[in-house]
Each structure stands twice: as C-alpha cells, then as structure tokens.
Amino acid sequence: IVISIYISYKFISNTLPKNLFLENGDLFGDQIYYWKIGKLLKNLDMNGIRKYTLSFRGYFSSVIPMISQIIGEVLNINSLWICFMLNNIFAALLLGYIIPELNNKLNPRKAKNYEILILFTIFFIFWKGMFYAVIVDILAVTFLLWSVLLFVESVNRKKKKYMFFSGMFVSIAVLNRSNYILGIYFVLALFILNNMLKIFGKQKYKLKNTFFALFFIGVFIISIPQIKINYDKGHLGMFPYDTEKSWGDYSLTRSLMSTSLNITLTGWPYLTKDGMTQKMSENFGTKEIVPSINQILDRK
C-alpha cells in the first residue's frame, strides 16, 4: 500500500524523475525493448517476435508489460501505471515476505517487524527507481528467492507440490535474467549427488526422485513458449542464450566486457567514463573513444 500510494502520487502529479524518460516522455533503453515485445506478445505477432526478440532475453521479461497493456486497453487507463503497480506487488512480496520468511527458515533467530521495516527503508532510499521503471530485475530476484524458499519448504515439510512450484518459479527467474540458470544447475547437481549417496547408503535427507521430477516438470512447463521462440530462431533449447551475434557484431558477453573497460556503473542510471581507457585507445591508432575487448585480445 505504501509503495502504491507513493508511486501513484508521483505518476499522477507528473513528478517522476525526468532522467528516467526521454525528453518527449517516452521510455528509453531496455524499457523500450520490454514494452515492444510485450505488445508483440499481446498481439500474438509471431513474425515480430521472431524478428525483434533478442536471444539472451527470455519471453517472461515482457509478460508484465503485456498484461499491463491488455488491462490498460480494457479499462482505458494508462498501461505504464499498471505496469508499475504490478512490478511493485513483487517488490512488496520480496521485501515483506520472501526475504524475512527465508531468513526464518534458515536462521534460528526470527526476523523482527522493525528489521523488515528497516530493510524496506534501505531499499526505498537506494533502489526506489525500481518502483517506477519497466525493468525485470525485481521480478527476477523475487521469483529466484521464492523458488529457494519453496525448495527449503519442500525438503523440510516433505511437500511435493512445493517442489513443483519451486521449479516453475526458478524458470520464471531464468526467463527474466539468464544467469539465474545456475539455480537449476544447482538442483541438477543435488539430484545427481542425492542418487549417488543413495547408491552408497549414505543418504541423509532421503529425498525421493519424484521431488526432483516435479521440480524439472515445473521448469519445463514455464519454458515451453521459450522453446518455441528459440526453435523459430534456429536454436534448440529451453532458455535464453548468447551467441557471437547476439548484440550487433559481438556476443552480449563480449559487449559487456568492452563496456566494463570504459564505463563504470556508479549507480544506475548514472555512468562515469574511465579516463585511463582514453589513453589506452591512443595505442590502437583508431578514432574510437575506447578500445573494445576484441581489439585488446586481437592486438599483436
């Protein structure tokens, strides 16, 4: 309620930070992409999805924008405001329930209400920009930690259905931020270890394979649309992927490495140039502002 009142006031009074938008009030950067793909999903425009989706972005990163646009059209209200409200539901879940409850499951000292309030206050001071931007960072980490919470609940209480939803939620996290696939790898490694210990008679928690089967079924169900998108783009796989042409002429990984050589993120959306790379570029005899990682690795 606190977040919704604050954001609604900022939105209606037109006092949101101006640097979050272009001069004409439009979205910029990644937000444009999420909103555009959301519109394509809403219209079931498969040709547009094949053409404009980036291989390293999962389809779920545009689900909230899609839902927001549908609700906005039906109710004839601003879809952007709806998107902020939906994102903030997950922000509230993360701060008010998931993190404290995860602490309570793993820590004998339970979280106090005033500690939860302090957590919210810290977040509100330093990351409140997450409340009014069309980005998926909060959605991704919310579902990742929610998956961890459900996994712990499943192990402790032997509830199979929790494992199924744990798989679904970690898959949602991966389809928002691909590096969270490490969570699925962890469960896969745990499955292998669990069966090896069973063979040698040293199994401690005695997790049945049906628990893991339900987890991976949950992962698969959420990934079905991504499998279709990947297939249409000539790739067999369940999740977002990086290729040598993912970002212009280079892979996303190489592009980010190049960016890290000349720009330091001091706090989004503020960028600070690294003066040393200006001097480094002189050694390459180019007119580019900075050398790319490719130039450095190929330099003889």
Side-chain angles (χ1 to χ4, degrees):
I1 292 173
V2 170
I3 297 173
S4 297
I5 291 174
Y6 172 76
I7 299 306
S8 296
Y9 166 74
K10 298 287 286 184
F11 192 89
I12 295 172
S13 63
N14 195 30
T15 56
L16 290 173
K18 300 301 180 184
N19 59 0
L20 293 179
F21 304 93
L22 299 175
E23 291 183 2
N24 61 358
D26 289 342
L27 300 171
F28 75 94
D30 289 352
Q31 299 179 99
I32 297 175
Y33 173 82
Y34 299 137
W35 201 254
K36 179 177 182 177
I37 302 302
K39 184 176 294 185
L40 296 175
L41 290 173
K42 176 177 68 72
N43 297 329
L44 296 178
D45 184 352
M46 294 307 299
N47 289 329
I49 291 172
R50 279 192 292 268
K51 182 177 180 180
Y52 294 110
T53 52
L54 299 173
S55 66
F56 52 83
R57 294 278 192 231
Y59 81 91
F60 222 97
S61 61
S62 292
V63 165
I64 296 299
M66 175 193 70
I67 295 173
S68 303
Q69 292 172 43
I70 292 174
I71 296 176
E73 289 184 6
V74 172
L75 300 181
N76 195 29
I77 53 181
N78 194 302
S79 298
L80 196 57
W81 174 77
I82 295 173
C83 187
F84 295 161
M85 293 299 100
L86 291 177
N87 274 331
N88 292 334
I89 289 174
F90 297 104
L93 277 172
L94 176 68
L95 300 172
Y97 170 70
I98 295 173
I99 292 178
E101 192 65 17
L102 190 56
N103 169 80
N104 294 343
K105 298 298 179 184
L106 302 176
N107 190 341
R109 182 182 179 279
K110 306 302 181 184
K112 307 295 184 182
N113 285 339
Y114 77 87
E115 294 173 328
I116 298 173
L117 181 61
I118 290 174
L119 172 65
F120 171 76
T121 303
I122 292 172
F123 191 95
F124 195 88
I125 292 172
F126 293 102
W127 291 287
K128 64 183 178 183
M130 296 290 182
F131 295 147
Y132 38 71
V134 186
I135 49 180
V136 297
D137 303 80
I138 290 299
L139 187 67
V141 74
T142 296
F143 277 99
L144 177 71
L145 295 183
W146 206 348
S147 172
V148 174
L149 176 60
L150 289 170
F151 189 92
V152 172
E153 281 278 87
S154 179
V155 172
N156 290 342
R157 298 172 60 182
K158 299 297 187 290
K159 295 285 187 178
K160 294 180 181 180
K161 64 179 181 180
Y162 288 162
M163 194 68 86
F164 173 73
F165 286 107
S166 177
M168 291 182 65
F169 287 1
V170 74
S171 186
I172 291 173
V174 173
L175 292 169
N176 281 288
R177 281 287 178 263
S178 57
N179 54 319
Y180 289 158
I181 197 172
L182 293 174
I184 297 176
Y185 291 160
F186 173 81
V187 176
L188 179 61
L190 192 62
F191 166 71
I192 296 172
L193 178 62
N194 183 71
N195 280 279
M196 290 180 63
L197 292 175
K198 185 186 296 184
I199 293 174
F200 293 103
K202 296 182 178 181
Q203 193 179 25
K204 183 178 180 181
Y205 291 103
K206 297 181 179 180
L207 281 176
K208 296 181 179 179
N209 285 336
T210 51
F211 278 73
F212 292 102
L214 287 170
F215 176 88
F216 290 114
I217 289 173
V219 170
F220 176 77
I221 289 175
I222 296 297
S223 300
I224 290 175
Q226 190 65 43
I227 293 173
K228 169 62 175 172
I229 293 172
N230 289 348
Y231 179 78
D232 288 345
K233 295 175 76 68
H235 175 79
L236 296 178
M238 295 173 57
F239 303 110
Y241 59 97
D242 193 15
T243 70
E244 285 302 316
K245 296 293 183 179
S246 289
W247 190 250
D249 293 331
Y250 306 113
S251 67
L252 177 65
T253 302
R254 285 212 169 201
S255 298
L256 292 176
M257 291 171 68
S258 296
T259 300
S260 67
L261 291 175
N262 64 89
I263 296 179
T264 300
L265 280 171
T266 57
W268 187 88
Y270 305 103
L271 304 178
T272 301
K273 292 284 186 178
D274 181 3
M276 180 59 69
T277 55
Q278 309 296 320
K279 297 180 180 179
M280 291 170 57
S281 64
E282 297 176 1
N283 296 326
F284 291 85
T286 68
K287 294 182 180 180
E288 295 182 18
I289 298 176
V290 293
S292 68
I293 188 65
N294 298 72
Q295 290 174 314
I296 292 175
L297 293 178
D298 294 340
R299 186 70 172 174
K300 296 180 180 180

